[in-house]
Amino acid sequence: MDTETSNTDKYLQLLKESIKSDPIASFLNMQVIELRPGYSKVSLQLLPEYQNFNGFVFGGIIMAIA
């Protein structure tokens, strides 16, 4: 394993650990399904409180996932 791969693996592990204590991720009950360099997959249960009067998800919720 080269140094760049080793550093990437360490960084990804650090991210996985920090997500567990992230306040907004915890508040919204976000779940990280997959995390790798250049890609992440996050799950969030859409609640009625996350929608505006038109039934669209608030932009802040979308940005929190991003």
Side-chain angles (χ1 to χ4, degrees):
M1 182 180 315
D2 64 17
T3 303
E4 185 175 337
T5 302
S6 177
N7 287 339
T8 299
D9 289 343
K10 288 177 186 176
Y11 183 65
L12 287 174
Q13 188 59 39
L14 179 64
L15 278 174
K16 288 177 184 177
E17 291 300 317
S18 65
I19 288 167
K20 294 176 185 176
S21 62
D22 181 72
I24 193 68
S26 177
F27 176 75
L28 296 174
N29 198 25
M30 287 191 239
Q31 304 296 316
V32 176
I33 306 300
E34 191 174 348
L35 183 61
R36 62 178 189 252
Y39 179 83
S40 67
K41 188 175 192 178
V42 179
S43 172
L44 170 79
Q45 182 178 355
L46 179 60
L47 299 176
E49 299 91 299
Y50 301 165
Q51 297 173 310
N52 64 20
F53 64 92
N54 288 320
F56 294 110
V57 178
F58 284 109
I61 301 293
I62 295 169
M63 293 310 298
I65 293 171

